[in-house]
Each structure stands twice: as structure tokens, then as C-alpha cells.
Amino acid sequence: MRVLHVSSGNLYGGVETLLRTLALSSAGREGVHAFALCFEGRIAEELRAAGAPLTLLGPAKVSRPWRVWEARRSLMALLQREAFDAVVCHAAWPQALFGPVVRTAGVPLIFFQHDALSGAHWAERWARVTVPDLALCNSRYTASTLRSVYPRTPWRVLHPPVRDGGPGLTASERASLRGELGADPSEVVIVHASRMQEWKGQRLLLEALGRLRQVPNWKAWFAGGAQRPEEVSYEEGLKAQASALGLGGRVRFLGQRSDVPRLLRAAEVHCQPNTGPEPFGLAFVEALYAGLPVVTTALGGPLEIVDASCGVLVPPKPEALAVALRELVEDESARRRLGGGGPARAKALSSPAVFLDALEDAVRSVAREPIA
């Protein structure tokens, strides 16, 4: 089986994390998962490091139509040069730009839905022109919005793969990392790791932490760096907010990190209180693998991830969030109980091996010829 995955490659978030996990987890399997990106960047470097077949199509930008045409020609040349059983376009943008090329080449087309769809964005309207053979939705929540773009396309829910972050840190490694980031051994560290986007809940978490100023023995780490100009402004606003709330000595902004699994294993609580629905939420699964209780808001995909065995769901209000966090800061037994349920829950949801089996079964369902 040969599958080509098409994505943009200029940013780094959930889609790129999935592609990296796919490349690492498919190594040694009989099938071949190849990748085509438009832009050079972190994910391209990671795919190369994983030994995955990678083609750069060229920096396609809708504002420069000739760049789009060049990237489309590159993809057509690849599809004519190599045989693939299916092409998977990850998200609406590559589906809009490259779906027609895949159709012209006569290769089965799969749309991997990573976000909720409204049908209003230009990329979604453009993507609607080329109907895929199958849609793979990363959660039941996103699947409920597919009809706004593809009302008659068959679909399956396929939770994204998440790799176990590995063994826990040794006591000395954990103490060293915590010390480097300003946390004493007795303090409960609350960690938030995501893109610098307001709906990811950094501002809401700071508001809740402001209500815990008088509660001793906690620190908070915010991992994730700005990738767009508006994210730079947002991050600056968060730092100002933390200072205004009197949290300057208890909150650390760590910037972009490549060692998030280590950060999680050095913390006690994971909290990403989204103010808008998360399509799925890889970060929550990573936290479960690390044995952290997860505190988040009852919106979107996390409703399919977090239950009473491993975390706490609250409404997107600072008062409710502060109550949940205070209980976990002050109750070590509750932290241990909820953290203990995390790894099994994560594996049941997002085992890479199970994901690959399901993905390859989906490809067989649309392949033009039977796959041995």
C-alpha cells in the first residue's frame, strides 16, 4: 500500500504533529506513507529525520496564482511518476488547492478533516468544488460539521495517533528541569502547552490563576511560541495580564519548546481551558500519557477524551476553573487518582498502531484496485 499525504508545512500545530507521528509509527510496516508539502520548515525537517519520503511542491500562495500552478504541476508530476493507492489532503487548504489535481490524475482522494467546518471560509468554499471519495474526521465533533462542505460524502471518525512520550524522568532529571524553570520540589506545577491563540485558553487560565494568588505552593508554565504577527501581540498581552494580576513570580512563558513530553513529566496538572471548541486535542492525550490529571472546558473534542477517570471538565468561566485547579493543587490523592487513569485512556483513544490499521483500511475502501 502506498499513500501520499499532502499538507502545507508552513506552520506547526496539530496537523504537523500528526504527520510526524504517522511517519515515525509507519516505519517498518509494509505500507509506504509518503508526504508532499508546499513549504520548507520544521515539519519538513522532522519528516526527513524520520526517513519518510518527502516531496516539496513549492511555496503555493493564493495571492500569487503562478505559485499555485507551479505547485500543482509538481504534484501532477509526482502522481504520474509514482503510483499511489490514495492521496490524503490534510485540511481544507490543501484539499482546495490540490484536490483537483488528484482527481485529474485518477487517484482516489481522501479528505482528512482536522477542524470544524462552516462552509464560509474561502478555502472551504473552494474545497467544496472537489468532492472526496471519503472523509476522515478527527472527532465526532468535527464530523458533525462536515455536512456544511460535503453533505453527501461518506465519512469515518479516526482519532489522531499520539505516541507515548516515553519513560518518566529520573528524580534527578525532574528536579533539574523544574529547578531550571523556577519550580521548587514542593510546588504543584500547572502546565499549558499549545499554539499562542486566544481560543486555546491562556487568558482564561490566567484569570483563574489570579483567583488563586493567596493559595500557596503552585507555579504555572505556558509552553508555545508565537508563529504569526497576531500571535506575537497576543503573547505580549498575556505577559502584561500576568503582571497586572500579580502573577509575575509564579507564571513562566517558555516559548516554543521541542521537549513538551519532558515538560509534562515534570509537572503535576495539565490545563488548557479552551474558550472555543477544540476539534480534537492532541495535547490532552499527551498529558494523559504523561500521567497528568487534565483540567479543561467542556467544549468540542475534549468531551471525547476527558472523563471522570482522568480529568475534570468545567464551563469556560474563570470561577469554575479556579475551583477545579485549587482542589487539585491542595489534594495530592486526587492528582494521583486522576493521573493514574491517564495512560490507559490515552492508549485506548490514540494508539498509533490502531490508527494506522484504520487508515489503511480506509484506503482499501476507496482504492481503484484491490491492495494485496
Side-chain angles (χ1 to χ4, degrees), residues 253-268:
F253 290 90
L254 308 182
Q256 192 70 28
R257 303 282 299 210
S258 60
D259 62 343
V260 170
R262 293 182 71 246
L263 292 177
L264 294 172
R265 282 160 174 75
E268 279 78 25

Side-chain angles (χ1 to χ4, degrees), residues 34-45:
F35 302 85
L37 305 175
C38 291
F39 298 93
E40 189 65 73
R42 175 180 167 185
I43 182 57
E45 295 173 358

Side-chain angles (χ1 to χ4, degrees), residues 289-349:
Y289 269 128
L292 297 186
V294 172
V295 181
T296 188
T297 46
L299 300 169
L303 289 167
E304 301 168 38
I305 300 172
V306 180
D307 61 17
S309 73
C310 59
V312 181
L313 292 165
V314 299
K317 298 182 180 299
E319 300 84 359
L321 182 59
V323 169
L325 290 174
R326 178 167 188 163
E327 290 177 356
L328 287 175
V329 166
E330 296 180 338
D331 189 342
E332 182 180 359
S333 65
R335 295 198 304 271
R336 291 185 179 278
R337 174 176 55 82
L338 293 175
R345 179 69 176 161
K347 186 174 182 179
L349 284 166

Side-chain angles (χ1 to χ4, degrees), residues 103-225:
R103 274 279 174 261
T104 301
V107 181
L109 175 61
I110 296 175
F111 171 59
F112 204 117
Q113 182 189 0
H114 292 270
D115 297 298
L117 303 175
S118 67
H121 192 277
W122 70 263
E124 296 173 19
R125 296 197 302 271
W126 195 348
R128 185 185 289 125
V129 173
T130 308
V131 178
D133 297 291
L134 177 69
L136 298 176
C137 310
N138 66 352
S139 68
R140 293 190 297 274
Y141 165 67
T142 57
S144 71
T145 70
L146 178 67
R147 67 177 70 93
S148 66
V149 177
Y150 298 123
R152 289 176 291 278
T153 296
W155 56 271
R156 304 181 184 186
V157 171
L158 189 53
H159 289 146
V162 181
R163 289 164 63 90
D164 187 335
L169 303 176
T170 66
S172 60
E173 289 172 336
R174 192 171 190 272
S176 176
L177 180 55
R178 288 170 62 91
E180 173 190 334
L181 299 178
D184 295 335
S186 63
E187 291 177 316
V188 174
V189 172
I190 301 164
V191 62
H192 182 300
S194 79
R195 293 274 301 275
M196 277 292 166
Q197 296 174 309
E198 184 155 6
W199 68 274
K200 293 287 191 179
Q202 294 96 337
R203 192 179 300 282
L204 176 59
L205 176 53
L206 287 174
E207 291 176 8
L209 294 175
R211 289 166 165 76
L212 302 182
R213 281 191 302 271
Q214 306 308 315
V215 177
N217 297 324
W218 65 261
K219 291 283 177 68
W221 297 339
F222 289 82

